Amino acid sequence: MIKIVVDLLGADKPQTELVLGAIRAISENKDLYVYLMGRKTELEDFLANVTYDESQLEIVDCTQEITNYDDPVDAYHDKTDSSLIKGLKMCRMNEDIGGFVTCGATGVVLISSILILGKLNATRPALSVVLNGRNDKPFCIVDCGANIDCKADRFVDFARLGVAYMKTLGIENPTVATLSNGIEAGKGSDVIKEAHELLEKCGFNFTGNIEGKEVLDGNADVVVCDGFAGNVLLKSIEGTAKVVFDDIRRAAAGASDTQKAQLEAFIGRLEPKFDYNNEGGAILLGVKKPVVKGHGAATDKTVYNTVKIAYGLAKNNLVEKISEEFEKK
Amino acid sequence: MIKIVVDLLGADKPQTELVLGAIRAISENKDLYVYLMGRKTELEDFLANVTYDESQLEIVDCTQEITNYDDPVDAYHDKTDSSLIKGLKMCRMNEDIGGFVTCGATGVVLISSILILGKLNATRPALSVVLNGRNDKPFCIVDCGANIDCKADRFVDFARLGVAYMKTLGIENPTVATLSNGIEAGKGSDVIKEAHELLEKCGFNFTGNIEGKEVLDGNADVVVCDGFAGNVLLKSIEGTAKVVFDDIRRAAAGASDTQKAQLEAFIGRLEPKFDYNNEGGAILLGVKKPVVKGHGAATDKTVYNTVKIAYGLAKNNLVEKISEEFEKK
């Protein structure tokens, strides 16, 4: 049984909507068990009308909730009966729990995960997102926003974390590239140039620099960058795709209903691929259990996807794979 | 008459193809005069079969050509009869010449423009690109790759350059925003946080931080960033749009010819908007004449567009507008 703790509070949508994502995930995966962190009575009443296998879940009552307005350190100390803090502590205390899923406040998730679960291999954890590029080839970006000003040696840790992550997806010898403003080795900020030199020496399948325009082509399995550049990259991919799809629909505004339906048949299925926020979540790499963070506006679909990601990471031994990468140091 | 010098050598395509872009530009603008820098005899022979108004152009013979393999400083000293160096010198020597257009090697263009035309207001020049966002609202990104590691005060100069640029497009009080990893004032690298504070004090129409996903929404007229982040942003917009359009066409691969034609009617017209490289060029802001740089794979359409940009910048007094912004200092 793969056991995942699912935090159902602290997002924009009510727990009774989000829980349906977890229910769908257990229905599809018979070896998945979820601890649902939320308001127990309300959840029990709601689930009385839902069909699911009771042997696959347990509701854990939480009397507190963390919001975006909470100070991360205060929340960690004062809201010990919140779904987020209580859930992370359950992950820490129970060896057989494989991971944690939340759509709560990012700052609190980052700090509490580090304080409660602890760092792996003494590296600072990083946020990563897996996107599907051209031909649906997956690749990951590390870091996506947890570490803003970074020295060059941090990029080596990002590469180790990303390589381990891609190995859980079955990619045996993931390629690693540094995000830069040109593909030539001499291109980049001073930090990137130094990181480039370090990465060449560390035994990675390192392919050099990658530009923003090639990232989605899937030219590298692991794109390493500081959290500032990674965030700009990720959000500009998301924003551009959204504007392109919106523009296409506007271009077709005067078309017939049949033509519009035809267009939707072409583009509707593609759109979610670029919407990493609704489709999945960011993974906090480098803590002692996988933590998957969906965005605050999560729907039941987001929860379904994030639970599936955490399930996959636990099943495919992310934490062991990260440790293996760091042992190569 | 607006006089523009057009460098026809140093790009991938032959001068006899690129010149057609300049011919189209003078045909459409009767107050535009171009100096065509290239191999004169070949151009004369080619233009003998083309219809245009001879009073709107002059061919200037150049015996040398600069390539991507040339060292920028060597090229500046040794290739004085190249279309690029000779053209820039013509711009410097003749007060009535309004700007320079080239598709030559970026490094040589940057360094030669600074060495020959000189800096405006003692600031380091920056590369900028204007994109059309949602609803075709234009906005500019400064810097796009000329200045990689920047201190905070450079962002103020980028803002002045960008504001002047947007004023040439008729935007009276352009909004300015700092590209960051979150919209809150405290978000960003140390440099961005400092730049944010400086920009708040300098009398700009400053709207704070902007994220990569909002840039194309046109939430700011001028997006300021270092050349590293700007390059990542610009290229990820370009790359994402390309992948989205390719994916849509692949999704429709099995459709009927009629359906495909219909789809092209919707998306074909939109595609160029995101292809800033073919549609226009980068503008070097902060030298004493406008310099517009098309990419090496330029077509006659690129030349047409870059000549039109240079014409607009000269006509709308970019250089004076930049000086005005710096006088506010």
Side-chain angles (χ1 to χ4, degrees):
Chain A
M1 218 59 170
I2 305 287
K3 296 184 176 180
I4 302 293
V5 174
V6 185
D7 169 14
L8 293 174
L9 302 177
D12 303 346
K13 297 264 165 75
Q15 61 171 2
T16 47
E17 178 174 338
L18 301 183
V19 72
L20 292 173
I23 298 296
R24 186 176 154 204
I26 57 171
S27 307
E28 291 180 11
N29 299 282
K30 288 296 155 195
D31 62 341
L32 169 62
Y33 185 95
V34 290
Y35 294 96
L36 301 175
M37 313 301 291
R39 288 188 206 90
K40 190 169 184 174
T41 313
E42 190 195 34
L43 278 174
E44 280 175 343
D45 290 350
F46 178 78
L47 290 177
N49 301 310
V50 176
T51 308
Y52 63 94
D53 184 342
E54 289 183 20
S55 73
Q56 280 185 271
L57 71 79
E58 178 182 334
I59 301 172
V60 180
D61 192 39
C62 302
T63 59
Q64 291 177 302
E65 180 171 346
I66 288 173
T67 72
N68 272 315
Y69 300 102
D70 278 300
D71 174 82
V73 175
D74 288 349
Y76 164 72
H77 287 292
D78 301 339
K79 292 200 166 173
T80 51
D81 204 52
S82 63
S83 50
L84 179 52
I85 303 298
K86 196 171 182 172
L88 281 167
K89 286 189 174 168
M90 276 178 59
C91 283
R92 183 191 168 94
M93 302 301 284
N94 295 282
E95 211 177 314
D96 65 337
I97 292 181
F100 183 70
V101 168
T102 177
C103 303
T106 310
V108 187
V109 173
L110 287 179
I111 287 178
S112 303
S113 298
I114 295 170
L115 289 174
I116 296 169
L117 299 175
K119 297 177 190 175
L120 261 177
N121 310 94
T123 184
R124 264 181 64 89
L127 272 174
S128 179
V129 165
V130 168
L131 293 177
N132 288 311
R134 196 182 285 277
N135 299 322
D136 291 328
K137 183 184 172 301
F139 65 93
C140 75
I141 304 171
V142 193
D143 178 79
C144 288
N147 303 281
I148 302 304
D149 288 296
C150 297
K151 292 193 176 149
D153 55 357
R154 298 299 318 287
F155 287 76
V156 178
D157 287 353
F158 294 161
R160 292 187 206 282
L161 294 170
V163 164
Y165 188 1
M166 294 313 281
K167 285 184 176 177
T168 69
L169 301 181
I171 297 168
E172 281 189 18
N173 188 19
T175 52
V176 174
T178 30
L179 181 66
S180 193
N181 59 310
I183 53 168
E184 304 87 347
K187 288 274 189 174
S189 62
D190 292 343
V191 171
I192 289 292
K193 287 181 217 166
E194 201 185 330
H196 192 286
E197 282 181 29
L198 286 175
L199 285 163
E200 276 182 325
K201 291 179 202 153
C202 290
F204 292 105
N205 188 0
F206 181 60
T207 57
N209 285 339
I210 190 167
E211 295 185 4
K213 69 180 166 189
E214 304 164 328
V215 166
L216 276 177
D217 288 333
N219 291 7
D221 298 315
V222 180
V223 176
V224 293
C225 45
D226 64 39
F228 187 89
N231 198 275
V232 167
L233 174 68
L234 185 65
K235 289 182 178 163
S236 64
I237 290 172
E238 186 192 4
T240 303
K242 194 166 184 327
V243 169
V244 172
F245 286 117
D246 288 353
D247 273 0
I248 292 172
R249 288 200 175 90
R250 207 174 48 243
S256 71
D257 286 350
T258 317
Q259 287 171 335
K260 281 184 195 167
Q262 184 64 59
L263 181 67
E264 284 303 321
F266 295 142
I267 71 175
R269 209 178 44 85
L270 285 174
E271 204 167 11
K273 167 172 154 179
F274 297 96
D275 188 5
Y276 73 92
N277 233 340
N278 280 312
E279 288 304 302
I283 290 87
L284 185 63
L285 296 170
V287 286
K288 288 181 181 163
K289 296 265 168 96
V291 172
V292 184
K293 158 82 180 85
H295 68 137
T299 61
D300 59 324
K301 194 178 170 196
T302 319
V303 172
Y304 165 72
N305 283 317
T306 45
V307 170
K308 273 206 312 182
I309 292 171
Y311 166 77
L313 292 173
K315 198 163 181 167
N316 293 300
N317 306 312
L318 172 70
V319 169
E320 289 73 10
K321 285 190 166 69
I322 290 176
S323 294
E324 282 165 23
E325 292 304 316
F326 277 87
E327 276 160 20
K328 292 182 187 166
K329 220 169 185 172
Chain B
M1 218 60 169
I2 305 288
K3 296 183 176 180
I4 302 293
V5 174
V6 185
D7 170 14
L8 293 175
L9 303 177
D12 302 346
K13 297 266 165 75
Q15 61 171 0
T16 47
E17 177 174 338
L18 301 182
V19 71
L20 292 172
I23 297 295
R24 185 176 155 204
I26 58 171
S27 307
E28 290 180 12
N29 299 282
K30 288 297 155 195
D31 63 340
L32 169 62
Y33 186 95
V34 291
Y35 294 96
L36 302 175
M37 314 300 293
R39 289 188 206 87
K40 191 169 184 174
T41 312
E42 190 194 36
L43 278 174
E44 280 175 344
D45 290 351
F46 178 78
L47 289 177
N49 301 311
V50 176
T51 308
Y52 62 95
D53 183 342
E54 289 183 20
S55 74
Q56 280 184 271
L57 71 78
E58 178 183 335
I59 301 171
V60 180
D61 192 40
C62 302
T63 59
Q64 291 176 303
E65 182 171 346
I66 288 173
T67 72
N68 273 315
Y69 300 102
D70 279 299
D71 175 82
V73 176
D74 288 350
Y76 163 73
H77 287 292
D78 300 339
K79 292 200 166 173
T80 51
D81 204 51
S82 64
S83 50
L84 178 51
I85 303 298
K86 195 171 183 174
L88 281 167
K89 286 190 176 168
M90 275 178 59
C91 283
R92 182 191 168 93
M93 303 300 285
N94 296 282
E95 210 177 314
D96 65 338
I97 291 180
F100 183 70
V101 168
T102 178
C103 302
T106 310
V108 187
V109 173
L110 287 179
I111 287 179
S112 303
S113 298
I114 295 170
L115 290 174
I116 296 170
L117 299 175
K119 296 178 190 175
L120 262 176
N121 310 92
T123 184
R124 264 181 65 88
L127 273 174
S128 180
V129 165
V130 168
L131 294 177
N132 288 310
R134 197 182 283 277
N135 299 321
D136 290 327
K137 184 185 173 299
F139 66 93
C140 74
I141 304 170
V142 192
D143 179 76
C144 287
N147 303 279
I148 301 303
D149 287 296
C150 298
K151 292 194 174 148
D153 56 354
R154 297 300 318 286
F155 287 75
V156 178
D157 287 353
F158 294 160
R160 292 187 205 284
L161 294 170
V163 164
Y165 187 1
M166 295 313 281
K167 284 185 176 177
T168 70
L169 301 182
I171 297 168
E172 282 189 19
N173 188 19
T175 52
V176 174
T178 30
L179 181 66
S180 193
N181 59 311
I183 54 167
E184 304 86 347
K187 286 275 189 176
S189 62
D190 293 343
V191 170
I192 288 292
K193 287 181 216 166
E194 201 186 330
H196 192 286
E197 282 181 29
L198 285 175
L199 285 163
E200 276 183 326
K201 291 179 202 154
C202 289
F204 293 105
N205 188 1
F206 182 61
T207 58
N209 284 340
I210 190 166
E211 295 184 3
K213 69 180 166 189
E214 305 164 328
V215 167
L216 276 177
D217 289 333
N219 290 7
D221 298 314
V222 180
V223 176
V224 293
C225 45
D226 65 38
F228 187 88
N231 197 275
V232 167
L233 175 68
L234 186 64
K235 287 180 179 164
S236 63
I237 291 172
E238 187 192 5
T240 303
K242 194 165 185 323
V243 168
V244 172
F245 287 116
D246 288 353
D247 274 0
I248 292 172
R249 288 200 176 91
R250 207 174 49 241
S256 71
D257 286 350
T258 317
Q259 286 172 335
K260 281 184 195 168
Q262 184 64 59
L263 182 66
E264 284 303 323
F266 296 142
I267 70 175
R269 207 178 45 84
L270 285 173
E271 205 167 11
K273 167 172 155 180
F274 297 95
D275 188 6
Y276 73 93
N277 233 342
N278 279 311
E279 289 302 301
I283 291 88
L284 185 63
L285 296 169
V287 287
K288 288 182 180 164
K289 296 263 167 96
V291 172
V292 184
K293 158 85 180 82
H295 68 139
T299 61
D300 58 323
K301 194 177 170 197
T302 319
V303 172
Y304 166 72
N305 284 318
T306 45
V307 169
K308 274 207 311 182
I309 292 171
Y311 166 77
L313 292 173
K315 198 164 182 168
N316 294 302
N317 306 311
L318 172 71
V319 169
E320 289 73 11
K321 285 189 167 70
I322 290 176
S323 294
E324 281 166 23
E325 291 305 315
F326 277 88
E327 277 161 19
K328 291 181 187 167
K329 220 169 185 171

